[in-house]
Amino acid sequence: MSEEIGKALQSVRERVQHAAARRIKTLPAIDPRLVAVSKTKPVDVVIEAYRHGQRYFGENYVQELAEKASDPSLLSSCPDIKWHFIGHLQKTHINKLVGVPNLYILETIDSVKLADKVNSSWQKKGSSEKLKVMVQVNTSSEDSKYGLAPAETAGLVKHIREKCPSLEFVGLMTIGSFGYDLTQGPNPDFQMLLAQRDMVCEKLGLQIDSVELSMGMSSDFEHAIEVGSTNVRIGSTLFGDRVYSKAVKEGANVTSTQNKS
């Protein structure tokens, strides 16, 4: 297992770097962050990937993340691990998420109410650092996808920056539609997120290179990086196909389209 994970990580890292080298020069020269999506995979898989130099890991379900992040063997073996929460966050699960050890970024803030509740919960935790958050945008306008409408993006970012003192806005995230045919040109969902960043930066006076773009998964991460992604979420390409237990399926409360990576 260790050798397979090591080879997969090396291969994906090379593909990430080659894709970054193909970017047009007008895009911010930010090294893309590889987030290894470990959902449904056991703790020992995470530990092996960590041993091969991987530090950023993503999970979709709060309960699964809380269990893995609190595992004694993982805590002792992976002191510098950084967890990304990349699934839909229900308000009833906020306190559990906030309590996760080594939580690094919450990528899926999609409403003022959710931002306010996460801010309040993080304040109560008493952390000396702000919680990094991204705003999730539904760029494909699909009912099966979470995220706010593009027209609401700037307003939510402004609210987080001005009304949520315990949160640090760091970027925008999208799922996008699946199976887009790149022979038709650049993925319009990714182009939409790029346009949203331009608009947010112009309206709020932010620097382009200070706003990350989280877009791209196993099937399309190279294209996503080429057009500007700074954060890609890759699972099956690294760890193989997922096997969902009955408990995970019943407890997810998330559409299947939300959780591919």
Side-chain angles (χ1 to χ4, degrees), residues 107 133-137 153 157 169-174 192-198 200 211-215 233:
E107 293 197 21
V133 298
M134 294 183 179
V135 167
Q136 182 176 0
V137 185
T153 305
V157 173
F169 168 73
V170 297
L172 304 176
M173 178 267 210
T174 195
M192 169 68 79
L193 202 67
L194 283 161
Q196 288 292 297
R197 179 173 67 178
D198 289 344
V200 166
V211 180
E212 292 194 43
L213 296 179
S214 177
M215 56 189 193
R233 313 175 302 269

Side-chain angles (χ1 to χ4, degrees), residues 22-94:
R22 295 192 293 269
R23 281 178 180 158
I24 59 174
K25 301 307 178 186
T26 54
L27 288 169
I30 300 172
D31 286 337
R33 179 193 299 111
L34 169 59
V35 178
V37 180
S38 51
K39 64 182 179 184
T40 79
K41 299 301 177 180
V43 165
D44 57 347
V45 168
V46 176
I47 293 173
E48 281 301 325
Y50 185 95
R51 286 175 179 161
H52 285 282
Q54 183 63 26
R55 292 295 179 268
Y56 301 95
F57 292 84
E59 289 285 341
N60 286 75
Y61 309 129
V62 173
Q63 183 62 35
E64 185 177 1
L65 171 56
E67 290 175 0
K68 284 181 186 173
S70 302
D71 185 277
S73 61
L74 187 141
L75 285 169
S76 61
S77 301
C78 310
D80 298 323
I81 196 168
K82 294 177 173 62
W83 290 105
H84 288 229
F85 186 72
I86 58 174
H88 176 62
L89 178 59
Q90 297 175 322
K91 294 180 181 67
T92 54
H93 293 163
I94 291 173

Side-chain angles (χ1 to χ4, degrees), residues 3-260:
E3 186 176 344
E4 290 178 2
I5 290 175
K7 287 181 178 179
L9 277 167
Q10 182 179 354
S11 173
V12 169
R13 286 168 182 155
E14 290 174 356
R15 292 168 66 185
V16 165
Q17 290 307 312
H18 291 157
R22 295 192 293 269
R23 281 178 180 158
I24 59 174
K25 301 307 178 186
T26 54
L27 288 169
I30 300 172
D31 286 337
R33 179 193 299 111
L34 169 59
V35 178
V37 180
S38 51
K39 64 182 179 184
T40 79
K41 299 301 177 180
V43 165
D44 57 347
V45 168
V46 176
I47 293 173
E48 281 301 325
Y50 185 95
R51 286 175 179 161
H52 285 282
Q54 183 63 26
R55 292 295 179 268
Y56 301 95
F57 292 84
E59 289 285 341
N60 286 75
Y61 309 129
V62 173
Q63 183 62 35
E64 185 177 1
L65 171 56
E67 290 175 0
K68 284 181 186 173
S70 302
D71 185 277
S73 61
L74 187 141
L75 285 169
S76 61
S77 301
C78 310
D80 298 323
I81 196 168
K82 294 177 173 62
W83 290 105
H84 288 229
F85 186 72
I86 58 174
H88 176 62
L89 178 59
Q90 297 175 322
K91 294 180 181 67
T92 54
H93 293 163
I94 291 173
N95 289 339
K96 181 181 283 288
L97 178 66
V98 163
V100 166
N102 301 305
L103 180 64
Y104 184 65
I105 289 181
L106 166 55
E107 293 197 21
T108 52
I109 294 286
D110 60 3
S111 71
V112 166
K113 285 185 177 180
L114 183 61
D116 286 343
K117 287 183 179 295
V118 172
N119 178 72
S120 176
S121 185
W122 195 257
Q123 278 182 333
K124 291 175 184 175
K125 180 181 178 178
S127 175
S128 60
E129 297 182 358
K130 294 183 178 183
L131 174 63
K132 293 179 173 63
V133 298
M134 294 183 179
V135 167
Q136 182 176 0
V137 185
N138 187 348
T139 53
S140 58
S141 300
E142 295 174 275
D143 291 339
S144 61
K145 300 289 195 311
Y146 291 105
L148 78 173
E152 301 171 13
T153 305
L156 179 52
V157 173
K158 185 174 188 290
H159 178 85
I160 291 170
R161 286 172 51 83
E162 295 180 357
K163 305 295 184 181
C164 299
S166 292
L167 306 183
E168 178 187 357
F169 168 73
V170 297
L172 304 176
M173 178 267 210
T174 195
I175 302 290
S177 57
F178 297 116
Y180 176 74
D181 182 2
L182 289 176
T183 63
Q184 304 299 312
N187 188 322
D189 295 328
F190 296 165
Q191 297 300 305
M192 169 68 79
L193 202 67
L194 283 161
Q196 288 292 297
R197 179 173 67 178
D198 289 344
M199 180 267 295
V200 166
C201 289
E202 181 178 350
K203 283 191 173 184
L204 304 182
L206 305 177
Q207 295 296 315
I208 290 287
D209 59 5
S210 72
V211 180
E212 292 194 43
L213 296 179
S214 177
M215 56 189 193
M217 296 180 281
S218 285
S219 62
D220 57 11
F221 71 90
E222 287 162 295
H223 172 64
I225 290 170
E226 286 180 32
V227 299
S229 178
T230 64
N231 186 88
V232 290
R233 313 175 302 269
I234 303 176
S236 56
T237 299
L238 291 172
F239 303 128
D241 292 337
R242 300 185 179 96
V243 178
Y244 290 94
S245 68
K246 183 179 179 182
V248 168
K249 288 179 179 177
E250 291 177 348
N253 292 324
V254 183
T255 62
S256 59
T257 53
Q258 173 76 3
N259 293 293
K260 295 182 181 180

